[in-house]
Amino acid sequence: MSDRVALIVAGGTGERFGGPVPKQYRLLAGMPVLRHTATRLLAHPAIDRVRVVVHPAHAPWAAQALDGLPVGEPIPGGATRQDSVRNGLEALAGAESPPTLVLIHDAARPLIDPGTVDRVIAALADHPGAVPGLPVADTLRRAGPDGQSAGTVDRAGLWRAQTPQGFRFAPILAAHRAQAGRALTDDAAVAEAAGLTVALVPGHGDLLKITTEEDLTLAARLLGGAAPDIRVGQGFDVHRFGPGDHVMLCGVAVPHGRGLLGHSDADVGLHALTDAILGAAADGDIGQHFPPSEPRWKGAASDRFLLHAVERAAAKGLRCVQADVTLICERPKIGPHRAAMTARLAGLLGLPVDRVGVKATTTERLGFAGREEGIAALASATLIGG
Ligand code: MG
């Protein structure tokens, strides 16, 4: 049976990154970068073991980052990345059963995806080495010594290499032993210097190497993208019919033989939607923010309630991206006013009309709505954070 080992190289001192904590031990979404990397590789079904090469001076950080993960004892790194990889390979060679394949991966690439690992392993069936990467999309320019452009570099056929770089174990161990002391840029270069062929396979756009603070921010955003902060709220309201010649529904005055009773303008649609937004933001309800006991809300236009709820949500970093209202009544007929109501709600929420639903139904003449004693409204709203 083939034994596949992922060898994570975390030996770097992170001089380019600066700061007291090297990049592979910085927190990314609350977890050290190295722990993200190790966890993802451990979770891949085609990887049998994971080992980590660590700078001896980083042992306490490494112990914390790897706490509880089945990665064995950290392997001490060397003076250069190439030395660290060779140390790792020698440690694997000295083990009871050396692996068949080894995937050498940078600790600072935490967003390793299963597909890239699969493609690297698949290519090793036909080649002694395989490197994931992506074709260079940007135009490449050479910088001159005076800070001016010294011309365009043809990017045809150019890829930028990522990791994990996969190899059959015996030939890459021999290559690293033979090339020790030469400064080569990565393991594919070591393999090629030893005459091994290396296949190029597609990597992944998210597989960035964390080198700067901006990279750490970007990685956090990419991780966050997998779980957006989405809140859904619901609202319900009822108002009783009384004397009048129109009803306010979703901010639109609809002519009717009666009006709706209430302290404000009694717009059930806006009240239900205001509660949906407050609910999504976990921010109480309409009665709490606009108590009927306060004279200043007497006869108030209910669009003020909705706008206030939107502002309160915005203060929590939440914005409404979708709203849906259902009006429940026998009369007045909503159909002729639906477009005006949709446009009014969209305007109040700052949304395109195709993100606002206004619907109507009857209760088959059952209950208070069926007896035309009043109008009910249901609403839902979706807020997203960030
Ligand atoms: Mg109400």
Side-chain angles (χ1 to χ4, degrees):
M1 197 192 107
S2 128
D3 185 31
R4 305 181 186 107
V5 172
L7 184 66
I8 300 174
V9 188
T13 52
E15 277 151 15
R16 271 184 297 181
F17 202 79
V21 181
K23 58 191 176 181
Q24 62 270 37
Y25 303 110
R26 289 285 300 273
L27 291 184
L28 169 62
M31 198 159 93
V33 167
L34 171 59
R35 192 174 183 88
H36 282 276
T37 309
T39 302
R40 289 192 176 205
L41 288 169
L42 283 165
H44 197 291
I47 291 174
D48 302 303
R49 283 184 287 150
V50 175
R51 298 295 305 275
V52 186
V53 183
V54 167
H55 194 291
H58 298 166
W61 280 317
Q64 203 173 16
L66 299 169
D67 182 40
L69 297 182
V71 295
E73 277 297 304
I75 301 163
T80 65
R81 183 185 184 281
Q82 202 173 324
D83 292 339
S84 291
V85 172
R86 197 177 61 255
N87 286 1
L89 296 174
E90 293 289 1
L92 294 176
E96 226 165 87
S97 57
T100 313
L101 304 178
V102 61
L103 272 63
I104 304 170
H105 186 63
D106 294 331
R109 295 184 190 270
L111 302 185
I112 174 66
D113 61 295
T116 297
V117 171
D118 288 338
R119 289 187 288 277
V120 169
I121 290 174
L124 292 177
D126 299 319
H127 306 273
V131 172
L134 293 173
V136 172
D138 295 324
T139 294
L140 294 177
R141 306 200 72 84
R142 191 180 304 284
D146 52 1
Q148 294 182 346
S149 171
T152 305
V153 179
D154 182 10
R155 67 165 188 252
L158 289 186
W159 283 47
R160 49 195 181 91
Q162 300 176 323
T163 75
Q165 302 190 348
F167 303 93
R168 296 176 191 163
F169 183 72
I172 193 64
L173 174 65
H176 262 280
R177 284 174 174 168
Q179 304 302 321
R182 288 186 64 190
L184 296 165
T185 181
D186 64 1
D187 305 295
V190 171
E192 286 168 339
L196 303 175
T197 61
V198 176
L200 268 178
V201 301
H204 199 290
D206 289 356
L207 194 39
L208 78 165
K209 184 173 185 177
I210 293 178
T211 309
T212 64
E213 285 288 342
E214 288 75 28
D215 296 333
L216 201 57
T217 305
L218 176 58
R221 211 153 61 209
L222 290 168
L223 273 175
D229 184 7
I230 297 178
R231 323 279 185 97
V232 175
Q234 61 168 1
F236 176 70
D237 195 28
V238 173
H239 279 264
R240 180 190 293 274
F241 279 124
D245 59 5
H246 73 281
V247 291
M248 290 300 296
L249 293 173
C250 296
V252 173
V254 177
H256 191 52
R258 283 183 286 174
L260 289 172
L261 299 177
H263 189 68
S264 65
D265 65 5
D267 189 327
V268 282
L270 283 180
H271 292 183
L273 184 54
T274 299
D275 255 356
I277 287 170
L278 291 171
D283 191 18
D285 63 26
I286 192 169
Q288 182 182 332
H289 296 294
F290 310 99
S293 54
E294 282 194 26
R296 63 179 163 145
W297 304 125
K298 185 164 172 53
S302 296
D303 52 7
R304 288 174 60 188
F305 303 160
L306 183 67
L307 291 173
H308 187 70
V310 168
E311 279 167 22
R312 290 186 65 91
K316 288 186 158 195
L318 297 167
R319 64 191 170 91
C320 180
V321 295
Q322 174 271 340
D324 186 23
V325 176
T326 301
L327 298 167
I328 303 166
C329 58
E330 299 291 334
R331 290 187 302 157
K333 292 296 169 204
I334 303 302
H337 307 282
R338 184 201 305 264
M341 292 176 184
T342 305
R344 180 82 177 116
L345 294 182
L348 288 168
L349 295 169
L351 291 177
V353 289
D354 67 358
R355 284 176 175 261
V356 176
V358 173
K359 314 187 303 298
T361 187
T362 70
T363 55
E364 300 284 339
R365 299 219 155 267
L366 297 170
F368 69 84
R371 293 188 298 271
E372 297 192 44
E373 294 167 3
I375 299 181
L378 296 164
S380 68
T382 306
L383 308 190
I384 62 170

PDB file of all heavy atoms in Angstrom, residues 237-239 264 266-268 271-272 286, ligand 1:
ATOM      1  N   ASP A 237     -48.077  41.772  12.226  1.00  0.00           N
ATOM      2  CA  ASP A 237     -48.834  42.880  12.809  1.00  0.00           C
ATOM      3  C   ASP A 237     -50.293  42.796  12.369  1.00  0.00           C
ATOM      4  O   ASP A 237     -50.613  42.230  11.317  1.00  0.00           O
ATOM      5  CB  ASP A 237     -48.238  44.230  12.376  1.00  0.00           C
ATOM      6  CG  ASP A 237     -48.768  45.379  13.241  1.00  0.00           C
ATOM      7  OD1 ASP A 237     -49.118  45.138  14.414  1.00  0.00           O
ATOM      8  OD2 ASP A 237     -48.843  46.515  12.728  1.00  0.00           O
ATOM      9  N   VAL A 238     -51.167  43.353  13.181  1.00  0.00           N
ATOM     10  CA  VAL A 238     -52.602  43.414  12.884  1.00  0.00           C
ATOM     11  C   VAL A 238     -53.111  44.795  13.275  1.00  0.00           C
ATOM     12  O   VAL A 238     -52.710  45.325  14.315  1.00  0.00           O
ATOM     13  CB  VAL A 238     -53.391  42.353  13.709  1.00  0.00           C
ATOM     14  CG1 VAL A 238     -54.902  42.537  13.512  1.00  0.00           C
ATOM     15  CG2 VAL A 238     -52.977  40.942  13.325  1.00  0.00           C
ATOM     16  N   HIS A 239     -53.952  45.377  12.428  1.00  0.00           N
ATOM     17  CA  HIS A 239     -54.688  46.583  12.846  1.00  0.00           C
ATOM     18  C   HIS A 239     -56.168  46.407  12.497  1.00  0.00           C
ATOM     19  O   HIS A 239     -56.514  45.764  11.519  1.00  0.00           O
ATOM     20  CB  HIS A 239     -54.123  47.850  12.186  1.00  0.00           C
ATOM     21  CG  HIS A 239     -52.896  48.343  12.899  1.00  0.00           C
ATOM     22  ND1 HIS A 239     -52.934  49.322  13.861  1.00  0.00           N
ATOM     23  CD2 HIS A 239     -51.600  47.955  12.793  1.00  0.00           C
ATOM     24  CE1 HIS A 239     -51.696  49.529  14.314  1.00  0.00           C
ATOM     25  NE2 HIS A 239     -50.872  48.715  13.674  1.00  0.00           N
ATOM     26  N   SER A 264     -50.177  55.308  15.333  1.00  0.00           N
ATOM     27  CA  SER A 264     -49.503  55.927  14.186  1.00  0.00           C
ATOM     28  C   SER A 264     -50.467  55.878  13.003  1.00  0.00           C
ATOM     29  O   SER A 264     -51.682  55.884  13.191  1.00  0.00           O
ATOM     30  CB  SER A 264     -48.218  55.162  13.888  1.00  0.00           C
ATOM     31  OG  SER A 264     -48.547  53.837  13.483  1.00  0.00           O
ATOM     32  N   ALA A 266     -50.979  53.348  11.308  1.00  0.00           N
ATOM     33  CA  ALA A 266     -51.515  51.977  11.311  1.00  0.00           C
ATOM     34  C   ALA A 266     -51.157  51.172  10.073  1.00  0.00           C
ATOM     35  O   ALA A 266     -51.904  50.298   9.644  1.00  0.00           O
ATOM     36  CB  ALA A 266     -53.045  51.998  11.518  1.00  0.00           C
ATOM     37  N   ASP A 267     -49.962  51.433   9.494  1.00  0.00           N
ATOM     38  CA  ASP A 267     -49.531  50.706   8.292  1.00  0.00           C
ATOM     39  C   ASP A 267     -49.006  49.323   8.704  1.00  0.00           C
ATOM     40  O   ASP A 267     -47.847  49.168   9.110  1.00  0.00           O
ATOM     41  CB  ASP A 267     -48.430  51.515   7.587  1.00  0.00           C
ATOM     42  CG  ASP A 267     -48.070  50.959   6.224  1.00  0.00           C
ATOM     43  OD1 ASP A 267     -48.144  49.714   6.059  1.00  0.00           O
ATOM     44  OD2 ASP A 267     -47.718  51.754   5.336  1.00  0.00           O
ATOM     45  N   VAL A 268     -49.881  48.332   8.613  1.00  0.00           N
ATOM     46  CA  VAL A 268     -49.499  46.982   9.090  1.00  0.00           C
ATOM     47  C   VAL A 268     -48.305  46.429   8.334  1.00  0.00           C
ATOM     48  O   VAL A 268     -47.469  45.723   8.908  1.00  0.00           O
ATOM     49  CB  VAL A 268     -50.658  45.952   8.987  1.00  0.00           C
ATOM     50  CG1 VAL A 268     -51.645  46.128  10.105  1.00  0.00           C
ATOM     51  CG2 VAL A 268     -51.338  46.016   7.637  1.00  0.00           C
ATOM     52  N   HIS A 271     -45.194  48.058   9.635  1.00  0.00           N
ATOM     53  CA  HIS A 271     -44.934  47.631  11.012  1.00  0.00           C
ATOM     54  C   HIS A 271     -44.358  46.214  11.044  1.00  0.00           C
ATOM     55  O   HIS A 271     -43.396  45.927  11.770  1.00  0.00           O
ATOM     56  CB  HIS A 271     -46.227  47.683  11.848  1.00  0.00           C
ATOM     57  CG  HIS A 271     -46.721  49.082  12.074  1.00  0.00           C
ATOM     58  ND1 HIS A 271     -47.821  49.374  12.852  1.00  0.00           N
ATOM     59  CD2 HIS A 271     -46.277  50.274  11.600  1.00  0.00           C
ATOM     60  CE1 HIS A 271     -48.032  50.684  12.858  1.00  0.00           C
ATOM     61  NE2 HIS A 271     -47.098  51.242  12.096  1.00  0.00           N
ATOM     62  N   ALA A 272     -44.934  45.312  10.256  1.00  0.00           N
ATOM     63  CA  ALA A 272     -44.429  43.926  10.231  1.00  0.00           C
ATOM     64  C   ALA A 272     -42.989  43.903   9.710  1.00  0.00           C
ATOM     65  O   ALA A 272     -42.129  43.194  10.250  1.00  0.00           O
ATOM     66  CB  ALA A 272     -45.338  43.059   9.355  1.00  0.00           C
ATOM     67  N   ILE A 286     -40.858  46.754  17.661  1.00  0.00           N
ATOM     68  CA  ILE A 286     -41.330  48.092  17.306  1.00  0.00           C
ATOM     69  C   ILE A 286     -41.979  48.790  18.502  1.00  0.00           C
ATOM     70  O   ILE A 286     -41.824  49.995  18.689  1.00  0.00           O
ATOM     71  CB  ILE A 286     -42.280  47.982  16.090  1.00  0.00           C
ATOM     72  CG1 ILE A 286     -42.584  49.352  15.491  1.00  0.00           C
ATOM     73  CG2 ILE A 286     -43.559  47.251  16.446  1.00  0.00           C
ATOM     74  CD1 ILE A 286     -43.299  49.273  14.144  1.00  0.00           C
TER      75      ILE A 286
HETATM   76 MG    MG B   1     -48.834  48.040  14.263  1.00  0.00          MG
END
